[in-house]
Amino acid sequence: MATTSTSEHTGNGPTGAEKMYHESPDSSNNGTNGTNGMNGMGRQMTHEEHQTAIAASKFGYGPLAHVNSTASARLPAFGGEFQPGLYRSVENRKFANPAPLGLSAFALTTFVLSLINMRTRAVAEPNLVVGLAFGYGGLVQLLAGMWEMAVGNTFGATALSSYGGFWLSFAIILTPGGFNIREAYVEEQGLEAFYDAFGFFLMGWLIFTTILLIATLRSTVAFFLLFFTLDLAFLFLGVGYLHRDSTAHPNPPLIKTGGFFGLLAAFLAWYNALAGIADDSNSFFIIPVAHFPWSVKGREMRKEKTERARV
């Protein structure tokens, strides 16, 4: 991630949102704070009223309840930092960017499992993934999530830590001869009961991924597509285990379709990781991430284009 001159990712200078919400309370002669001091009646709030509104917004009410009124929001959304919205400048950050590590751990583990789900070269058993799920997709991704918490990224900490937990739990469930979870279902209720339970497990992760997907709607195309394809992977895999074929096994077409979308998610995770690693100090080019037109960065770019056209 370029931290200085990569305007493609971070932009240069304050964004339009900052100009709107981060002016100094003393920026005008009458003690008001400009645009971010406007109340519902159209008049400017006094400094005292504005401070009261900021305090109220912290508890979810008042005119600033849904406005990022802190001075931390400066850089536009960027999947390479696992940031779906405006975030603090990284120039003075004491920690390295943990997002590419977490994304890479997720990508490689998902890549291998998805190839198995697609029955590539007739490989059907996911035993090999257990090692990856414990070591790379699980432990390493969980650590990356904890480091995201250290750098103050709530979304990144939630997503990477949770998917690290997903891979650890996946490995625990499928460890051959280890925890005997599958065997216990087979002995007590039959193999179909295990397939049902595993389908419930996948559908739960579908719900969680949908929650994260909603938070990326104002980010970048590359970041949104990562969660969109992952959501579809969980959907098809979950339905594939719950809606079985005539032999009472997971539905092969649905499982293969889920594997296909998982493969797309893996490559998109690697793409976002590369975008976070490559900058003008180590790469001849910057990875495009394509901001949505309705995002903060997209609106700024459209405004700049309009202003240039007028000139």
Side-chain angles (χ1 to χ4, degrees):
M1 164 78 190
T3 59
T4 54
S5 61
T6 55
S7 57
E8 174 69 27
H9 293 166
T10 62
N12 291 321
T15 65
E18 289 178 279
K19 294 175 182 177
M20 181 176 291
Y21 299 124
H22 301 303
E23 295 181 11
S24 169
D26 299 323
S27 60
S28 61
N29 295 330
N30 61 359
T32 61
N33 75 333
T35 306
N36 64 342
M38 299 295 289
N39 68 3
M41 300 295 292
R43 71 173 180 84
Q44 290 179 323
M45 291 188 288
T46 65
H47 176 67
E48 290 75 14
E49 289 174 335
H50 184 251
Q51 294 303 313
T52 301
I54 291 177
S57 70
K58 295 178 180 179
F59 296 94
Y61 62 91
L64 301 180
H66 299 289
V67 171
N68 190 338
S69 57
T70 69
S72 62
R74 295 199 177 104
L75 305 180
F78 180 42
E81 286 273 357
F82 230 76
Q83 294 279 5
L86 296 175
Y87 66 102
R88 181 180 305 162
S89 174
V90 299
E91 292 181 2
N92 299 318
R93 188 169 63 188
K94 296 181 179 179
F95 294 92
N97 176 15
L101 174 63
L103 285 164
S104 298
F106 172 84
L108 180 55
T109 315
T110 304
F111 173 77
V112 176
L113 178 61
S114 297
L115 288 177
I116 295 174
N117 283 333
M118 293 178 69
R119 300 297 189 264
T120 306
R121 298 183 68 87
V123 177
E125 289 300 323
N127 295 4
L128 180 69
V129 183
V130 172
L132 270 176
F134 270 125
Y136 197 34
L139 177 60
V140 172
Q141 190 175 185
L142 178 61
L143 290 174
M146 294 297 100
W147 287 320
E148 286 285 6
M149 191 172 294
V151 301
N153 182 3
T154 302
F155 181 90
T158 302
L160 293 180
S161 300
S162 295
Y163 289 123
F166 162 78
W167 284 118
L168 287 172
S169 59
F170 178 89
I172 289 172
I173 292 170
L174 298 184
T175 297
F179 297 89
N180 292 321
I181 294 176
R182 175 170 176 162
E183 290 76 8
Y185 273 102
V186 173
E187 291 177 4
E188 295 292 330
Q189 297 175 289
L191 187 58
E192 290 191 33
F194 170 77
Y195 289 148
D196 284 334
F198 199 70
F200 301 154
F201 172 79
L202 293 171
M203 297 305 283
W205 285 102
L206 165 68
I207 296 171
F208 173 73
T209 304
T210 303
I211 293 172
L212 297 182
L213 177 68
I214 293 171
T216 66
L217 290 173
R218 296 181 62 186
S219 60
T220 67
V221 176
F223 202 35
F224 169 81
L225 286 178
L226 165 59
F227 287 94
F228 181 69
T229 53
L230 181 60
D231 217 22
L232 291 176
F234 279 126
L235 173 64
F236 282 103
L237 291 173
V239 175
Y241 274 90
L242 294 173
H243 183 70
R244 293 178 287 278
D245 62 9
S246 58
T247 63
H249 286 86
N251 193 298
L254 291 174
I255 298 299
K256 289 182 178 180
T257 304
F260 171 75
F261 282 110
L263 202 62
L264 291 180
F267 282 110
L268 284 163
W270 269 321
Y271 185 89
N272 282 278
L274 178 59
I277 295 172
D279 59 26
D280 53 8
S281 70
N282 60 27
S283 176
F284 290 108
F285 55 90
I286 298 301
I287 307 301
V289 292
H291 291 269
F292 280 120
W294 53 83
S295 67
V296 173
K297 184 69 173 179
R299 291 199 305 269
E300 285 184 354
M301 294 171 64
R302 190 166 61 250
K303 182 179 178 181
E304 291 174 359
K305 184 178 180 180
T306 302
E307 290 176 351
R308 286 196 300 267
R310 289 177 179 174
V311 174

